[in-house]
Amino acid sequence: MNKATSSLLALIIAGSASYFYLKQPAPLGDMKASGFVPEDTIALIELPDMQRSGSRWQATAINKIMQEPEVAAFLNKPESMIPPGKALDRLAEFRKLAPKEVFIAVVGQNNNGPKIVIGFDYSGNRKDAESLLGELKFDFAANFPEGKSDVEQYGQDSIETFRMGPGESIGTVFSGQWFFMSNDIASLHATIDLEEGKPDAPKTSLHDSATYNLCLSKMPADPDAVIYVDMKDLGNSVATMLETTQENSKAADEFKKIKAYSWAMKFDGENMRDAFYTYRPGGEAHQPLVFNSKAYSSPDSILYYAMSPHMTETPMIPGEVWSQLGVGSTVTVVEQALKQAGLSFDDFKTAFGPEAGLVVNWGENAPVASGVLSVDVQDAAKARKFLEAVSPDAAKKEVDGVTYYTLKDTGLGLMRFDSTVALTGKNLVFGIDADTVKAALQAAASNDAARIDKSDAFKTASGLVGKPTDAFAYVDSRTLFDRTYGLSSDALKMAAMLNSSMNEYADFSKLPPPGVISKHLGPIVYSQSTDENGTLCESAGPITFTEAMLGVGIGGVYYSTMQIRQPAQPVPARQHLSKAQPAP
C-alpha cells in the first residue's frame, strides 16, 4: 500500500471512530458498498451509517460512564495529552462533511500488492470535501516530488490521477454524493460503473455473492460495523505455508475448508453486540449444550462457563509448548502414568464428557472468589481409573457414595492449597479445597431455585445470543467490578507513588468511586455454536468478550512498555545495617 492510499485510509478510520461521539440523529443506512465492488472481492470493511452509529453510541453504558463527572475529571489529564495539530483539524473537517456510509475494500492483487478501493458518501458541502482532499493531495505531492498529476475523463466523471512511479498511481473521483479512491484505476472504473448502473458495468458484485450473503445473515441486524474476508485465495496461501510437517499438514487441510470469515458489531441500547462467523461448509451440526454444570451455581455466582470440545482426535500439542508454559515435566509424568495404566485418548472420551463447566462464586462478605470446575462423567469406573493413575499420592475418602481425592500443598509459588476432586456417579468436581467442593455438591443436591439460570438477569442476557452448542459464558460484570475495583484502584495508586512515570499519563488520586461506574454495568454473555456450514461466536453486554480480551491485551502491552521505560532504582541500605553488627 502506497503512502497516498494509507494517508487517506488513516484519516477515514480515525474520522469514523471519532464520529461515534456525535449526537445528531440520522436515517438508517442500507449498506450499498457491497454493490460497488466485484463479486470476488477479497475483503470488505464497512461502516453502514456513521451518523446512526453516532446517535446509538450515546445510549451505550460505556458512553454513559464516560459522561459521569467523576470519570470525566479522571480522563481530563489523558485527554489533555493529545497533541493539537493538522491531523485533528482534518478530522474535524472530515466530520463536517457528515459522512454516512464508509467502506474499504481489497478487490484483488497485482505485482505492487493489494488493489484497494475506498469510498464514502456524504451529505455535506462538496466544496468542503474538495478542500480537504486538496490538502491531502498537497501532502502527496510533497512526499512524491517526481510524481505527476493528471485528469482522466471517464464518461461524465473526471478522475484525478497522481502517478508516483512505474505501476504506482492513485485515482480519485466524485460521483454524485459519493467519493471514491483507488490505487488501481481499472478497479476505480469498475466501481464507478457499478455505482452509476452503467450498461457495461460488471454483471455481478459482492452483493450477489451467495457466500457473502450467508455470512452476513449470521450477523446482528442493522450493524454499525462489518468485516467480510473471502478465504478462497488467502486460505490456500496460508495452508501452503503451514504444510511443513505432518501435524501442520493436517491443520493446512482443515484451513483450506474455510471459505470466508465475517464479523459485525452493533450498539444496541446500553449494550454492545458482536458476532464472528467462520464459514466452513461440509461439517456436522453439534448438539446443544445441556448445562449440567449449572447445578453447582448459586445467587453468589459471578461467572459461569460451559463448554463441549467435540474432540474426535487426540489433540497434538508439541512438547516445547508445554515446556514454555513451565509444565513440561508434569505433562511427561502424566503421559507415562496413563500409558502404564493402559489408558488412551479414546478411553478419556468414553469416561468423561460431553461437557465441562466452571462456576465462580463471590459473596458480598467473602474476601476472595472461589470456584469449582466440573466435568460430566459417562463411565464412573473408567473415570476413577484415570484419577488414580494421574494422582497416585492423593488421599482418598468415600463419603455418601462420593469419592474424594485430596492432594496436599498444591498450587503455584506462594499460592498453596489442598486441591480436592470429588467423583460422583455423574460428575467430577474440582476445587482448591475440600470445603469448596462439598459446598458445590450440597448446592447441586438442594433445590435448584437458587441456580444462576433462574435469575431474570441471566435469562435476559442469554436471550441476546443464540443457542450454544460448543461454549457459553456469563459474567456478572457489575458484581465483579464492585468486588475488584477497590483493591485494584488502591494498587494503582500505590504503583503511581512508586513509579513516577505513571503520573505523566493520569492523576490516579482522581480515580472515580466504584458506584459511579458499576451502576451502568450489566451482564456479559457469550455463545458459540456450530452447524453444518460453520461456527458462530456471539457476545453481548456493556462490553463484549472480544472487546474485553482486546482491553486485556492492550493493558498488558501498556504495562510491559512502562516496565521497560522505568529505569532501575537503587535501593538504599538501611541505616541500622550500615555498620557491621557483632555476632550474638
Side-chain angles (χ1 to χ4, degrees), residues 455-478:
S455 72
D456 291 338
F458 185 95
K459 293 176 181 178
T460 300
S462 57
L464 297 175
V465 293
K467 298 290 185 182
T469 64
D470 303 338
F472 175 85
Y474 171 90
V475 178
D476 181 351
S477 67
R478 177 178 298 178

Side-chain angles (χ1 to χ4, degrees), residues 358-378:
L358 173 67
V359 175
V360 176
N361 300 318
W362 200 338
E364 185 174 358
N365 298 318
V368 295
S370 63
V372 293
L373 173 67
S374 65
V375 180
D376 291 349
V377 170
Q378 301 181 71

